Amino acid sequence: MKKRSWAEPFKIKMVELLTMTTREERKRAIAEAGYNTFLLRSADVYIDLLTDSGTSAMSDYQWSGIMLGDEAYAGSKNFYHLEEAVQQYYGYRQLVPTHQGRGAEHILSQIMIKNGDYIPGNMYFTTTRYHQERAGGTFVDVIIDEAHESQSSHPFKGNIDLTKLRDLINRVGAEKIPYISVQVTVNMAGGQPVSLANLREVYALCSRHGIKVILDATRAIENAYFIQQREAGYSTKTIAAILREMCSYSDGATMSGKKDSLVNIGGWLALNDEDKASEARSLLVAFEGLQTYGGMAGRDMEAMARGIAESVQDDHIRARIGQVQYLGNLLLEAGIPVVTPIGGHGVFLDARVILPHLEQEQLPAQALASALYIESGVRGMERGTVSAGRDPAGNNRHPKLELVRLTIPRRVYTQAHMDVTAEGVSEVVQNADKIRGLKFIFEPEALRFFQARFAPITADQVYEVP
Ligand code: PLI
């Protein structure tokens, strides 16, 4: 017995009952939801793998912190606990609390970006790019090519391609690039990490040109785990030490606490530059809340401060990613095409390969997510054409990756839930030829994937198995 299993470093004290639905009920529910899993009611979902955002189970220690919420309007004790946690574990000097990640993205974009600027990044994220464009910037993807190949086995598919970054600097000039946003890990690429060697090089190059490096630290702990497992020289370093080193190659970070930090709400912007932090706080008080609470209640800040300390524990992150890899390996063994290597927060099904009979315009990943729900009651999410949205000229973007994301909440589901999920996916993939394409019947202007509605193109139902 050489191999240690990934078993959870916790036991269960309270449970939340789930609803079991029939296939007929699910067919009705998804049709009513306009074939958009974001529009399903959670009461109609059995295993909810829509997102790992805000869906984690908090520990008893975090829940006890909720009772210690200091709800003073100004100067809440809990803010100072959160500030200490961010300074200790991430190493940034100035903390600007926000209601969640996009609040931080909004403020950062407004204080840093001028009309006509360019913001390079390692693949887009929906809300991040939205705020960059809203501030008058143009996002430029400078991730390595392998990130766009679902089957590449590159260990650090999230890496920045330094040649692409240098070319951009030469083309537009460093003065037009206020900062680079580096996601660790890269969500839309399948939860893929960035190596420390790459972060170090990016920071050196950018510093030479006066370009700031801002991490999207939303899943930085998961990124640190992959560095520990895959990067030479780091196997004996703690996650906490690796995280500090990662952040040392940046000037600040945006953070959605709803992921790594094991809380249901909260986020922050951190900066080392005091003047920029002061500018950020001026916007904060207008859009989020006072400088010592952002959009959070005192109790939320306490839960996040405690969650940060738990999130950097090596045993925690090994079990968290171990569970994701367990599901991924089940699907790989069943011959299901998924993004490889298996990422940190979810397993991503390759809808292009699973549904070769559908054109990208027929929204294969949206259709596959609907069919999986009908088959199994498992709710995943489209991460393809619908999520990519339209470019500023109004044309549909066609990302190379057309994926369904099965995102694993932290400390919530059991190994048996992963088994049932894998069975549901296998069943739907075996019947893939019965899945029909979809078309938009309602398309909102911004971040369309959240609220869009669809209809099957050629039949009444998206997925009918006789
Ligand atoms: O959902 P927010 O506003 O707390 O955070 C936005 C956000 C920023 N960056 C990254 C990498 C994210 O993954 C992210 C949110 N992700 C969601 C909601 C998700 O389901 O992946």
Side-chain angles (χ1 to χ4, degrees):
M1 284 256 296
K2 264 210 293 263
K3 193 165 160 268
R4 277 179 68 208
S5 110
W6 54 271
E8 296 84 352
F10 56 81
K11 58 184 177 175
I12 297 166
K13 178 150 27 195
M14 187 188 277
V15 297
E16 178 181 340
L17 301 186
L18 299 176
T19 345
M20 315 286 279
T21 49
T22 63
R23 194 180 188 93
E24 285 313 308
E25 285 168 339
R26 293 195 293 275
K27 278 160 71 173
R28 232 183 357 259
I30 195 71
E32 277 171 20
Y35 301 94
N36 184 347
T37 53
F38 275 101
L39 300 180
L40 285 169
R41 292 171 184 239
S42 75
D44 293 328
V45 173
Y46 174 36
I47 300 174
D48 202 349
L49 306 185
L50 183 74
T51 177
D52 63 330
S53 181
T55 53
S56 296
M58 293 205 293
S59 67
D60 50 1
Y61 184 62
Q62 286 178 286
W63 276 109
S64 64
I66 291 276
M67 295 306 294
L68 300 176
D70 170 5
E71 307 306 344
Y73 187 85
S76 162
K77 282 179 206 152
N78 313 115
F79 168 75
Y80 298 103
H81 296 165
L82 178 61
E83 188 181 49
E84 273 167 37
V86 172
Q87 287 171 345
Q88 179 183 343
Y89 292 107
Y90 291 83
Y92 298 116
R93 290 196 282 275
Q94 303 284 327
L95 179 72
V96 181
T98 59
H99 76 286
Q100 58 184 84
R102 68 200 71 179
E105 292 170 342
H106 170 218
I107 291 173
L108 178 77
S109 301
Q110 292 296 326
I111 63 168
M112 300 286 281
I113 301 173
K114 292 188 307 302
N115 225 348
D117 280 349
Y118 294 84
I119 302 88
N122 48 350
M123 202 174 274
Y124 83 102
F125 184 69
T126 53
T127 56
T128 320
R129 184 177 64 194
Y130 175 75
H131 282 294
Q132 293 166 351
E133 288 176 348
R134 219 172 147 263
T138 300
F139 165 81
V140 182
D141 187 8
V142 292
I143 203 167
I144 57 171
D145 287 343
E146 286 88 339
H148 294 277
E149 305 295 337
S150 72
Q151 309 297 311
S152 156
S153 60
H154 194 294
F156 291 103
K157 270 169 115 173
N159 279 357
I160 303 280
D161 185 326
L162 287 145
T163 307
K164 288 184 189 172
L165 181 56
R166 267 189 221 102
D167 287 351
L168 178 71
I169 296 171
N170 292 337
R171 183 163 64 82
V172 305
E175 63 290 350
K176 288 261 181 222
I177 308 176
Y179 67 96
I180 178 171
S181 171
V182 183
Q183 250 185 97
V184 285
T185 59
V186 183
N187 191 348
M188 305 299 280
Q192 303 296 330
V194 179
S195 71
L196 262 177
N198 189 249
L199 284 175
R200 210 177 287 128
E201 280 188 283
V202 168
Y203 190 54
L205 174 66
C206 287
S207 301
R208 273 203 303 282
H209 287 91
I211 298 168
K212 300 276 183 235
V213 175
I214 303 292
L215 290 191
D216 179 338
T218 296
R219 298 182 182 85
I221 316 281
E222 293 176 2
N223 199 99
Y225 177 75
F226 288 118
I227 289 172
Q228 188 189 55
Q229 298 301 305
R230 297 178 188 168
E231 193 155 351
Y234 287 91
S235 64
T236 57
K237 296 252 169 28
T238 62
I239 293 297
I242 297 171
L243 178 67
R244 277 298 290 256
E245 188 174 347
M246 285 167 60
C247 296
S248 75
Y249 303 129
S250 70
D251 301 288
T254 52
M255 177 72 184
S256 169
K258 302 172 72 172
K259 285 80 167 175
D260 266 355
S261 305
L262 301 161
V263 285
N264 306 121
I265 194 71
W268 43 262
L269 167 66
L271 294 166
N272 286 334
D273 183 315
E274 214 171 308
D275 293 339
K276 276 288 165 202
S278 169
E279 249 184 84
R281 288 186 186 111
S282 296
L283 286 184
L284 186 79
V285 295
F287 289 101
E288 298 275 318
L290 200 77
Q291 62 274 14
T292 53
Y293 75 83
M296 288 178 281
R299 54 181 173 270
D300 299 329
M301 293 189 281
E302 188 61 35
M304 180 146 54
R306 294 176 179 217
I308 289 172
E310 290 179 10
S311 71
V312 299
Q313 300 304 315
D314 287 47
D315 286 339
H316 156 72
I317 197 66
R318 195 173 68 84
R320 187 281 185 279
I321 295 187
Q323 186 179 43
V324 176
Q325 291 180 334
Y326 174 80
L327 174 63
N329 289 334
L330 284 180
L331 295 178
L332 282 171
E333 282 158 23
I336 313 279
V338 297
V339 173
T340 54
I342 304 300
H345 65 305
V347 181
F348 292 64
L349 309 177
D350 190 337
R352 272 179 186 240
V353 180
I354 295 169
L355 305 177
H357 59 289
L358 296 186
E359 301 292 327
Q360 217 170 356
E361 281 293 321
Q362 297 174 308
L363 312 176
Q366 191 74 36
L368 181 59
S370 297
L372 176 63
Y373 169 72
I374 292 173
E375 184 62 55
S376 62
V378 171
R379 166 156 73 169
M381 177 201 289
E382 193 262 11
R383 295 275 79 157
T385 307
V386 179
S387 296
R390 293 179 184 273
D391 62 25
N395 301 313
N396 265 326
R397 293 183 169 106
H398 289 296
K400 217 165 163 189
L401 296 174
E402 185 72 33
L403 310 171
V404 171
R405 187 181 74 174
L406 304 175
T407 342
I408 315 301
R410 296 165 186 78
R411 310 195 292 204
V412 169
Y413 290 112
T414 66
Q415 190 162 331
H417 287 118
M418 298 299 108
D419 292 342
V420 169
T421 300
E423 286 162 19
V425 173
S426 296
E427 192 73 29
V428 86
V429 169
Q430 272 163 35
N431 290 311
D433 59 328
K434 314 279 189 319
I435 299 176
R436 313 264 170 267
L438 292 171
K439 62 178 182 218
F440 277 96
I441 54 172
F442 168 63
E443 183 182 345
E445 207 175 301
L447 299 169
R448 63 183 182 178
F449 56 95
F450 283 133
Q451 300 181 79
R453 300 182 71 83
F454 306 88
I457 296 170
T458 55
D460 288 346
Q461 198 30 288
V462 70
Y463 175 61
E464 203 76 71
V465 180

